[in-house]
Amino acid sequence: MVQCAITRECDVSCMVWQAKNKILATGWEDGHIAIYSLNNQKLDCVYSNDKDHSGARLSFLMWNPMSSRLVSGDSAGVVRVWKSDSRGALSMYKQYKCNSATTAGVFSTAGHMQSRSDVLGHAFSPSFFYGTEDGKVYFADDLGHMTEVQALSSSVDCMKFYGDKSRLVIITRALLMVQLQVGDDGRVAPVMKVKLSIAGSGEKSIKQVVWAGPGLIAAASGENLVRLWNLASDENYTLSLSSAGRMVGRSDRIVSVAFNPVQRYLAAGTMEGKVALWRFVGELPSPVTTAAAEGGEGGEPVAQGSVKPEDWEPMAPAVTAKGAVTKVSWGPGRGLLCAGGSQGSSVLREDVLHRKISGSMVAIQLNSNLVRLERLDGDHFIQKCDINIRGIAVTETHLAVWNGSHCQVFEVQDSMCVAVSSHQTSAGCMAFSKDDSILRTVGSAVEICNYNGVVKKRISFSEGEGEPTHLDINGKFLAVATSNGQIKLFDLSKREAKTAGTNKNATGAPKQLGSSGKFVDSATGESLGSIRSIACNADGTRVSILSDHVHGALRMLEPDTRLHVYDADRDVVDNFNCTSRGRYPVSHFWDTEEPKLLACETTRIRAASSEAGGPGVAAPPAAAKEAADEGKEGEEGKDDEGKDGEDKSASEAQKQFIRTKQGDAAPTESEMEVLTLFVTTDFGVLMQDAFPLEAPFQALIGVQVPRLYFAGTKENEESGAGAGGAFGNGPFVMNRVLQDFIGLEDVDVDTRAALLDFSYYLTIGNMDEAHRAVKLIRNPSVWENMAHMCVKTKRLDVAEVCLGNMGHARGAAAVRLAKQEAEPEACIAAVAIQLGLIHDADRLYRECGRYDLLNQLYQASGFWDRALDVAETKDRIHLKTTHHHYAMHLEAIGDINGAVKHFELADTHRTEVPRMLFDLSQVSRDPKVLSKLEEYIAHSSDPELIKWWAGYCESIGQYDKARHFYHRAQNYFSLVRIACFNREIPRAKNIVEETNNAAAAYYLARYLEGMTEVQEAINYYAQSGCYNHAIRLAKNFGLDSELMSYAIKSRPSLMVECAVYFESKGEFEKAVQLYQKGGDIPKALDLCFKAGSQGRTSMFEVLKNIANDLDDQTSPQTVARCAEFFIEHGQFEKAVQLFMTGKRYVRAIDLCMQHKVKLTDEMVEGLTPPKETPPEGTSAADAAAMEEERLETLRALAKACKKQGAFQLACKKFTQAGDRVKAMKCLLKSGDTKNITYYANVSRNREIYVLAANYLQSLDWQNDPKTMKDIVLFYTKAKAWEQLSTFFDSYAQMEIDEYRDYEKALEALKKAATYMVKARTPDKEHLLANLQQRIYHIEQFVTARLNAKDDPAAMVRICHALLEQQDVESALRVGDCFALLIEFYHGQKNYDAAYKLIENMRSRQIVLHPYLEQDMIEEVHRMVGVPLVSEAAGDDGEVDDDVAEELDEEVDEVVSDEDEGDFKFGGK
């Protein structure tokens, strides 16, 4: 609706509303700045300036968050900071000049700048950024500081500040989106650059950019759509004008955009003068507290989240004056939009319809200036007002309407209103009190004035408490909520004491009840959101509150799904969460007398609607989301007023039954829903009842026990008088009786109180108190209500009492039967069924998982589709039964085709379909029905059906048709039977030969036997598998050849029977074979031995075949007898196998030892006695003896394996016998080093460690470091210190002999001495002294070698001293000492000394060439003049004491079985 217009000769270029006040700043093409204040439904100009920006187009205007500064920029490059007062008047504060035209600006909220603004308020303003035509970005503040921070390649089109990440977002003329990280000092760093994709970018560009949510940017780009970018998730999408309605043309283009965070409206101005609107109906990210910093157009979006195109719902577009809407901007609060363009500016306002009830008077706003007044007795009329209504208040006698600047008060008479007063006021909220006063919120106070607007008293609020924003009166109690979340309660019937100095005729303000409360979480102390509306209860102890979550600096509102209740007695805020119901509250009303009873209207959350609705359930209309709390359209269930309680209950149950049967959603899935709740200190907020809003109801107005009142429409209602003719069908006041008062609407006060207590106790689940409350009431509807509640609370015992008081005999019987069920829910469901609560029974059966009973419920109720669905998904065991019952139902109603289909699905069609069609043919006497049965069977492929029909045809003599259907059913037996009946023997034989059917062959054989065709009968008996009959005939007629062939194929008992027959006739081979096949092995063996004793050698092979079939199930005596037979005939291996089979392990082992039967792996495993649990009752001694016998057997087996050279098997068996040492000795003989090492590691036995280490010394351990490591490890684990010392001694000698490495030898000898200290050998001291002496000599020699270069004299002295030692040869090779001296003297040219040493070596019989180079020897002899005589190499250079060979010899030494001694190895 166009409220006012601003018209000038030039175009408006920019405009912006203040964040807190209704003040609009406008900038024009000619540099004109004007500030307008919206008062009295018109725009008043409070400031204008044509000089400072004269002639230069205003490119941007922006208010700071506190509205204390206005920053303007123009095309001349001038940026001015204006100081603003409370009215909006401006004064120049600072000015900046740059070399290019300014294009955009934005306030920064980064770092300490924002903190300073928050603390000092109007004294300071946050710093800001602005951009220019040449791509420069500047950072400035209101203190005269300005600096360039970034240079871009093209003009800056728009700027936004992304406070969540402290980033400056810039979009350039080249469609480049740049994100700059902003530091606390204003310095920026590039973070991201993205090229934007816009159709027709050559002529189209970004016209306007605004925040459309937390982290979400919306842009008008001159296209027929709005582009949105989500900076938080890096996603983008569009909103097309095609979704905005028919009023907007498809060729229209969007040139401006604005977002209202309070109502979540997105407005887009078009070239054709339209304003397209969308409402955000999606789910926002996690909310922040209401203490979040405020922000204007450049505000900070705190939260992040993913928003989808489906979250935006189109609204009806608005039409402005002619011309393009080049600029749109939302005003403060709700529903105020300014649209400007070349033809001027317009202010658009949204009208919200209000409804109020007071006593018996109800006021319903019909449009912007019409109110319908209606009394609860039915009288109503329409009153026209002179102002556009923004709020209404009503009493029994008066009506007040206001619009934020003006108020009109009317006196209500019989069928009209008389104007009382009209006065100016800026009040945002008003209410009547019982003392003929009006209470209104103005500024920081609640004013109490008379009907003429004269203030009588004031209730002031401090700055910390905030300004009063909401008030509500219930009786004599007043509740007030402030902008800072403070909640105060007052008693209007009492006054505060007057303070000194006040007027003696003045009375005090209303008395406050208790202290102020805070709308915060009692656990965390955090704010619960922004208060949307409040309501006070009847005794002034509680205040119900609806609130919104506030998101980010944009202060984007999202409805809270909780209904909050402030408890003044406890000073805490309780809540009832509607999230589980997929809803949020939109209006709430307390009963005027009962302080515990609260009614609330809720609407479905869009996300919940789309998820829970499913097919056929529409998403909620957008209007229900935001305006339902203000009285917009909704739905409510029908009222059955005028019927008695029992009829109403039955009607409700019937409605529910019909809805469920028709497949509709459950009642709670309605778009709108009404909840009744009880609020107490002990139990908090509890839901008492919930029901959907259905036509004709539209919205909840209030609650007055025993009724709820709604606004609704009535059909065929006569039109109202005057201006109300267009509202003849409503909305009117309608009512619905509370559930527990049905049939008791007009009871006395005491009964009403009892019913309220009854309802309350039912709600908290105290069935005993509920029963006491109404035990004297005989109205069946009360007991029925209690029975319904028993279904909810699952109180079967109380339900039985209720049904008795109702006189419901069938229901009482159902209770008794229900007690047999194990699940409580199933018992209660049975009661619910008797009460007609089909939906509740459905829910209860699902809760307890009794889908079988749910299936039965659906079947009994006629919900066959649902029954089949449950059987298909949850109760598959009864799926076929359900199909069968459904088929029977369809048969009963005459749906033959459907019955046939479901009989087939039930797999009962073989009997049921013929029965049904045959019975139908008998009843109807219509041959077509029987032909239909024949046609059905003819098209069927079910053999049973075809066989049945063939039998039917045979019974009536139609043999050709019978043969045809028998053949289709492949019932060859019946075909042969018919052929034999008709004496068609060749045909019968052909059928048997072609089909090889056993039953047919048997029938033919019986027929031929009756005709004395014996040979053919025997053949057909055999073909049918009935060998007993074939054998019978063969024996009777002496056909022995056929008898043997059939006997082999027959069952064992027949084989034995035939074997006896052949034995009696002396045919032993056949008899033995049959005895064996028949399982009588002893008899077969006896016959073999008997025949063998008679000289029949052919029986030997037969006996071998029998022996192959013997197993552990054969008796031991039989096995032993066969084995002895094989021993007698030299078949020892076969005898061993038989002894194994008979578990005579010792005898088998002895046989292997005596006759050298090769023991294989399989034989060894077979000869291993299993470890068995002794039978119950076996004594410990007997069990030990049994175990010892098993171990002796294992030892004998191991020795046998060892004797045959199977050392691995012997090791395994010795291990199983528990003798690991012998097992290790066997393993040593195998020479398997890997297994020896592994076995030693797992055995953890000292003796085994020593054996393993001794064995490893026999290997080439000198060249294998791992073997050396294992030797040391095993000796160490065995604590065999003497052997370990000897090993290191050998290692030292090896280093000396092989490598002349005396350093390593010295280290090894020291280790040998260390371990010798730990040894416990008798000659330990002698051995240790010997080691110490050798260590000393080697240390001397090593020292001498080290001094050869640095101290030759010391080297010579040490070597000569060593050579003089008598026992030095036990420690080192003397030749090495001589060689060291000779090499030294040779190097010193002292050939004489060298020659003497050489001669000394010869005198000691030391061969020279292992120690000295031949060239050196020749040179020394030549220099001393002594000829060199060639010498034959002695045998000293060869080591004769080969340790490895000695070890091998010792390992290979055979140890006798009687003396299993340890292996001993020498040290070297």
Side-chain angles (χ1 to χ4, degrees), residues 1364-1379:
E1364 293 174 358
Q1365 298 290 331
Q1366 295 182 357
D1367 56 349
V1368 69
E1369 292 184 0
S1370 64
L1372 50 83
R1373 298 195 305 180
V1374 179
D1376 290 331
C1377 191
F1378 278 113

Side-chain angles (χ1 to χ4, degrees), residues 212-278:
L216 185 67
I217 283 182
S221 56
E223 303 169 279
N224 64 343
L225 49 83
V226 178
R227 294 188 176 272
L228 296 101
W229 293 279
N230 193 330
L231 302 183
S233 59
D234 293 331
E235 299 173 347
N236 64 86
Y237 56 90
T238 62
L239 298 177
S240 174
L241 277 179
S242 60
S243 65
R246 297 181 180 178
M247 292 179 61
V248 181
R250 293 181 177 270
S251 61
D252 205 351
R253 296 292 181 264
I254 296 175
V255 292
S256 58
V257 67
F259 180 70
N260 183 350
V262 176
Q263 294 176 280
R264 303 191 289 183
Y265 291 168
L266 179 66
T270 71
M271 290 293 295
E272 297 179 2
K274 307 293 194 304
V275 178
L277 296 170
W278 289 269

Side-chain angles (χ1 to χ4, degrees), residues 1085-1138:
L1085 292 175
D1086 287 342
L1087 197 57
C1088 284
F1089 296 148
K1090 179 180 178 181
S1093 63
Q1094 296 177 1
R1096 295 192 180 186
T1097 57
S1098 60
M1099 301 305 296
F1100 184 75
E1101 292 298 325
V1102 175
L1103 185 60
K1104 289 182 66 176
N1105 293 333
I1106 295 175
N1108 289 332
D1109 294 337
L1110 297 180
D1111 54 22
D1112 54 357
Q1113 302 298 324
T1114 310
S1115 66
Q1117 294 80 6
T1118 302
V1119 175
R1121 189 173 179 184
C1122 289
E1124 295 297 338
F1125 178 83
F1126 282 118
I1127 292 174
E1128 292 174 4
H1129 292 81
Q1131 299 289 326
F1132 302 111
E1133 185 173 352
K1134 195 67 179 177
V1136 170
Q1137 293 289 344
L1138 288 174

